[in-house]
Amino acid sequence: PYTEAKILSRTTAVGGAISNTIGSVEHFFSLPETNRMLTARVAELSEQLEAVGGGEYSRVDTLAQGMSERTGGHFRYHEARVVSLTTNRLRNSIILDKGSADGIAKDMGVVTPKNELVGYVVLCSDHYCVVQPMLSVEFSTGGRLVDNGHVCMIIWSGQSQYRVEAKDLSVYSEPHEGMVVEVRSERLPEGVVIGTIEEYELNSAKSAYSAVVNIAADMSRLDNVLIVENTHYGELQELQTQLEVNR
C-alpha cells in the first residue's frame, strides 16, 4: 500500500504538471488573437470617443489604459497587425497587414493601443502598407510640450532606438526632465504621446532649446497597432496647396 500510494502521488504530480504546461501553451498561442480583438475594441472605442467629443475634452479609461484627451469627431481608427519591422538601420520601416483595399492611405498616422506614436504610412498596396517609424533619419513631425503648449520639431538622429530629439523649443518653454511631449500634427488628434524629456540644453546662441525624448512606444515589440485616418486631411492639403499657389 505504501508503494502504491507513492506511485499514485508521483503520477498525479506529473499529470498535473503536464496539464499546466498544456494550458500555458494553449494560452500562449491564443494571445495574438486576443491582442487583435483588444486592439479592434480600442479602435471602436476611440471612434466613439471622437464622435461624442463635440469640441470638448473627454477622457475614457478603458482597454487603452487611459487613452489621452482629444477633441473632434473626424478621426477613424483601423486596427492592424505588424507583419515585419526593423529597428537597427538608419532608415527603418514597418509593414502592416492593411492596405488601400481596407481604406488605408499615405500620410495616415500609426499609434499603439496605448495612444503612443509609432509613425506615418508612406506606401500602400492593396493589402499591405509601409510605415515610416520614428526610428528613421528621414522622419519628422511636429511636437508639443503638454505642460505649456510650446511646439517643437521631432527628428531621429539614428543614435538610439529608444530616443528621439526635440528641436527648436522656445527659450520660454522651460523644459524639464519627465515633461511629456505629444504629437502636434494635422494627421493625428491631440493626446498622442511621443515620450518624455530625458535631458535638454540651450543652444550656444541662447535662442532655442533642444531636448532628448525617451520614446513611449516599445518600437522593437510592436504587434497590434491602430492606423488613424483624419477624414478632413484632404481638405487641409487642398488649402495648403492653394496657399502655396497664392504666395
Side-chain angles (χ1 to χ4, degrees):
Y2 174 79
T3 303
E4 290 176 353
K6 294 294 288 184
I7 292 173
L8 178 60
S9 174
R10 182 59 58 84
T11 302
T12 302
V14 172
I18 293 173
S19 177
N20 288 337
T21 301
I22 292 174
S24 298
V25 171
E26 289 177 345
H27 175 67
F28 174 81
F29 282 107
S30 71
L31 281 177
E33 181 60 26
T34 301
N35 286 338
R36 192 168 186 118
M37 291 172 62
L38 289 174
T39 306
R41 181 57 176 154
V42 169
E44 179 183 349
L45 291 171
S46 298
E47 286 195 13
Q48 291 176 9
L49 178 59
E50 290 293 339
V52 302
E56 298 180 356
Y57 288 99
S58 303
R59 180 175 293 276
V60 173
D61 292 316
T62 62
L63 301 174
Q65 299 181 12
M67 186 163 282
S68 300
E69 295 174 346
R70 55 182 66 178
T71 60
H74 52 272
F75 289 94
R76 293 176 182 168
Y77 293 78
H78 309 262
E79 59 87 16
R81 185 178 62 84
V82 174
V83 175
S84 66
L85 61 83
T86 61
T87 59
N88 59 353
R89 304 172 184 174
L90 291 178
R91 293 174 176 82
N92 291 293
S93 61
I94 301 171
I95 297 179
L96 304 179
D97 67 345
K98 291 292 188 294
S100 56
D102 306 293
I104 308 305
K106 182 182 177 182
D107 288 329
M108 289 185 181
V110 179
V111 302
T112 71
K114 293 182 180 180
N115 211 31
E116 302 157 335
L117 179 64
V118 173
Y120 298 105
V121 175
V122 291
L123 290 171
C124 279
S125 64
D126 287 345
H127 304 293
Y128 298 93
C129 66
V130 177
V131 176
Q132 182 182 77
M134 285 188 284
L135 302 184
S136 172
V137 293
E138 296 176 343
F139 176 88
S140 67
T141 192
R144 172 182 175 273
L145 302 184
V146 171
D147 287 3
N148 53 39
H150 282 280
V151 297
C152 59
M153 180 60 66
I154 302 296
I155 62 171
W156 187 58
S157 64
Q159 296 182 358
S160 170
Q161 63 175 297
Y162 306 106
R163 298 172 182 85
V164 291
E165 296 179 23
K167 297 288 189 181
D168 301 326
L169 275 165
S170 167
V171 291
Y172 303 109
S173 62
E174 299 181 348
H176 59 76
E177 293 181 12
M179 182 179 281
V180 177
V181 182
E182 66 179 21
V183 176
R184 180 67 180 270
S185 171
E186 68 275 13
R187 292 174 285 187
L188 288 166
E190 293 181 8
V192 176
V193 175
I194 294 172
T196 55
I197 292 178
E198 179 182 85
E199 57 186 59
Y200 57 93
E201 64 178 3
L202 194 60
N203 63 17
S204 57
K206 297 184 179 181
S207 59
Y209 280 102
S210 62
V212 175
V213 179
N214 285 325
I215 298 173
D218 189 343
M219 303 295 284
S220 64
R221 298 183 62 186
L222 295 174
D223 184 12
N224 296 284
V225 296
L226 298 173
I227 303 173
V228 186
E229 174 188 0
N230 182 353
T231 58
H232 292 180
Y233 186 73
E235 180 181 343
L236 291 169
Q237 290 296 100
E238 183 178 347
L239 281 175
Q240 291 177 358
T241 301
Q242 291 178 9
L243 179 62
E244 292 297 325
V245 170
N246 293 329
R247 282 181 177 175

